Structures are given as C-alpha cells and as structure tokens.
C-alpha cells in the first residue's frame, strides 16, 4: 500500500506563510496528477491545487495568487507554498496523487497535516 506523508502544517498568524511538503514513495514520472485537498469538520474535502503531468495547474478560486503547487522529482516531493494566509484557510490539508498503470488508475492519499491560521 502506497502511503503519502505530509508535513509542514502548524499554527500561523493571518498574513503569514507555510510550506507543506508531501513525500511520494513512487516514481514521480509515473504520475498523472498531483494535488492538495483540504477539509474542515462537517464539510466536504475540497480541491485546493492540482498539477497534471502536462504541467497545467488549477487552483481553488479563493487561494489563486496566494498558493503555489510545485514538485521536486529528484526528491520525490510535492509542495504547497501558502502565502498571505487567512483564518478561512484553516483546515486539514491532504496530499493526493494518481498513477496510471496498465490502463488502471490508482489514487493515493496522505493522512493530512493541520494548518491553523489565527486572526
């Protein structure tokens, strides 16, 4: 079972920055998409940022211009740089990748890292 591992969450004041990191224990070159989701209690998990193998990116409207997704293939990591953080960004953040192997798509998730933004 492939398990992604996130880190970098924490408590930060509004206006501050955090960089989330996700260790991906499989070949980055085999991935279709890599991304970050977030979830708060009582709400559905929402897509924050996603990057495809073709390098196109998509961001949640409320984070566009403040968050940036990137990857380091050599280190096997996916990052989410979060700037100008707002209290409404408070959530558990999850790393996600999907991999296509012999016509089948496999989805992998991390256990999450908590981000709390104080006002």
């Amino acid at each position: 079972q492939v398990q992604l591992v996130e880190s970098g969450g924490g408590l930060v004041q509004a206006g501050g920055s955090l960089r989330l990191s996700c260790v991906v224990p499989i070949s980055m070159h085999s991935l279709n998409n890599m991304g970050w989701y977030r979830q708060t209690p009582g709400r559905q998990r929402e897509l924050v940022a996603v990057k495809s193998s073709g390098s196109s990116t998509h961001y949640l409207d409320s984070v566009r211009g403040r968050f940036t997704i990137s990857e380091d293939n050599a280190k096997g990591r996916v990052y989410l740089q979060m700037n100008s953080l707002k209290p409404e960004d408070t959530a558990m953040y999850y790393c996600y990748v999907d991999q296509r192997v012999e016509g089948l798509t496999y989805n992998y998730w991390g256990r999450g890292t908590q981000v709390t933004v104080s006002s």
Side-chain angles (χ1 to χ4, degrees):
Q1 180 69 20
V2 175
Q3 180 71 61
L4 312 184
V5 181
E6 304 98 333
S7 61
L11 174 64
V12 63
Q13 287 190 332
S17 298
L18 285 173
R19 188 176 81 154
L20 305 184
S21 178
C22 173
V23 176
V24 180
I26 56 176
S27 169
M28 299 281 285
H29 296 291
S30 69
L31 302 181
N32 284 335
N33 300 290
M34 57 189 76
W36 291 89
Y37 285 71
R38 68 186 183 189
Q39 188 172 24
T40 54
R43 299 188 66 179
Q44 285 191 334
R45 194 172 292 189
E46 63 179 356
L47 176 63
V48 176
V50 63
K51 186 172 185 179
S52 73
S53 58
S55 296
S56 64
T57 56
H58 172 77
Y59 295 94
L60 183 67
D61 285 346
S62 62
V63 309
R64 187 175 294 113
R66 299 188 296 122
F67 290 11
T68 303
I69 186 171
S70 63
E71 80 278 14
D72 185 326
N73 291 330
K75 294 183 178 180
R77 291 180 183 260
V78 180
Y79 302 102
L80 185 67
Q81 178 67 43
M82 306 186 295
N83 299 328
S84 303
L85 282 161
K86 304 176 181 181
E88 50 265 42
D89 295 318
T90 294
M92 184 72 80
Y93 283 72
Y94 298 90
C95 181
Y96 161 86
V97 300
D98 64 64
Q99 177 189 43
R100 192 160 181 86
V101 179
E102 297 181 352
L104 298 177
T105 298
Y106 298 88
N107 304 319
Y108 302 117
W109 292 88
R111 296 180 187 272
T113 184
Q114 178 67 39
V115 171
T116 303
V117 184
S118 63
S119 58

